[in-house]
Amino acid sequence: MKVVAGNWKMHMGPDEASAFFSRFTPDALGDSVRVVVFPPAVSLRTARAAAPKGVEIGVQNIHPEPSGAFTGETSAEMARSAGASLVLVGHSERRHVFGETDEETAGKVRAGLRAGLIPVVCVGETLDQRRAGKLETVLRRQVEAVRAPLGDAPSFMIAYEPVWAIGTGETATPEDAAEAHALVREALGDLGGAPILYGGSVKPGNAGELMASPGVDGVLVGGASLDPESFLRIAEAA
Ligand code: PEP
């Protein structure tokens, strides 16, 4: 079964989340695709209530601690009680805009598991790293950092998202995706049975081709997940 996940980033407050789900009607998909949406934390409860049966809801980011003096943060436990069952960890915007380290990413995986959330860990290289021939080194390092906590996870997913393809309109070729997914799977070793999603400018027009690529178990979609019709077309492509 393919996974089609939407990352709404800092879009879609509660009213918009509710309006999205009134137009998102995945009834015809049946059991052939697993649909997940990651709304902003303030919209989790509304999204959970408005989403059709079978659509899973996840939180985009969590703090490693369960509670405390961390103004502005959301814990895994809070996200869970607001309706999340998955957590996105280590998205490239967390790593590159907010300076999140591999150690922090590992701490967030542990926190998500403690609260019973399924981690979806994002990995991927920058354009400079790719050009310098460091694709394998970067993916190995990012996977290695979360391998120990993931070893205890009942289930998890990885999203391979080349940083140069996120929100840029540039997409990896199906061959690029297949190569990177194979590297991630190798780095995961005995955990390599987990689904590995591709992310980076996935649209209705390229989703089918990417998901048909060897080792690509689904997609993580940013921009194109904000429109119910285009997100539905991507889910149909699965
Ligand atoms: C993302 O946010 O994870 C992403 C891949 O964004 P986009 O599809 O807009 O490139």
Side-chain angles (χ1 to χ4, degrees):
M1 186 195 296
K2 298 286 186 194
V3 180
V4 172
N7 170 19
W8 286 354
K9 312 194 187 197
M10 199 171 72
H11 300 284
M12 309 285 243
D15 292 346
E16 292 153 307
S18 185
F20 175 96
F21 283 117
S22 68
R23 291 169 54 210
F24 183 72
T25 45
D27 322 326
L29 298 174
D31 293 337
S32 60
V33 49
R34 182 172 176 185
V35 178
V36 184
V37 174
F38 293 91
V42 291
S43 301
L44 282 172
R45 194 177 276 278
T46 305
R48 183 57 283 156
K53 203 168 148 279
V55 172
E56 295 169 79
I57 301 294
V59 62
Q60 295 174 13
N61 179 44
I62 50 171
H63 189 277
E65 295 298 326
S67 61
F70 302 106
T71 302
E73 295 291 316
T74 305
S75 74
E77 287 74 5
M78 291 168 186
R80 169 98 197 204
S81 108
S85 47
L86 298 94
V87 56
L88 208 54
V89 180
H91 187 275
S92 84
E93 286 146 24
R94 300 302 319 170
R95 293 179 191 266
H96 298 288
V97 180
F98 298 99
E100 196 168 294
T101 63
D102 285 337
E103 290 67 33
E104 285 167 325
T105 297
K108 291 180 181 193
V109 169
R110 278 190 213 96
L113 292 171
R114 182 187 66 218
L117 301 177
I118 298 169
V120 180
V121 180
C122 303
V123 298
E125 81 291 3
T126 64
L127 191 55
D128 284 349
Q129 289 167 333
R130 172 168 277 260
R131 283 186 175 148
K134 294 191 178 144
L135 173 67
E136 181 169 357
T137 316
V138 170
L139 295 181
R140 273 196 182 277
R141 195 200 74 227
Q142 291 174 337
V143 169
E144 207 41 58
V146 289
R147 230 186 144 277
L150 289 182
D152 298 327
S155 78
F156 70 91
M157 299 183 219
I158 302 282
Y160 166 64
E161 299 204 300
V163 179
W164 47 272
I166 299 177
T168 59
E170 296 272 338
T171 317
T173 63
E175 293 74 26
D176 289 337
E179 181 198 7
H181 282 224
L183 290 171
V184 170
R185 219 174 282 286
E186 203 180 293
L188 282 168
D190 58 350
L191 305 177
I196 305 178
L197 319 185
Y198 168 79
S201 297
V202 175
K203 307 276 180 259
N206 60 19
E209 179 183 46
L210 284 159
M211 279 188 273
S213 188
V216 177
D217 302 310
V219 285
L220 177 57
V221 187
S225 71
L226 297 172
D227 174 63
E229 281 76 34
S230 79
F231 193 50
L232 194 57
R233 279 168 57 211
I234 292 171
E236 284 164 356

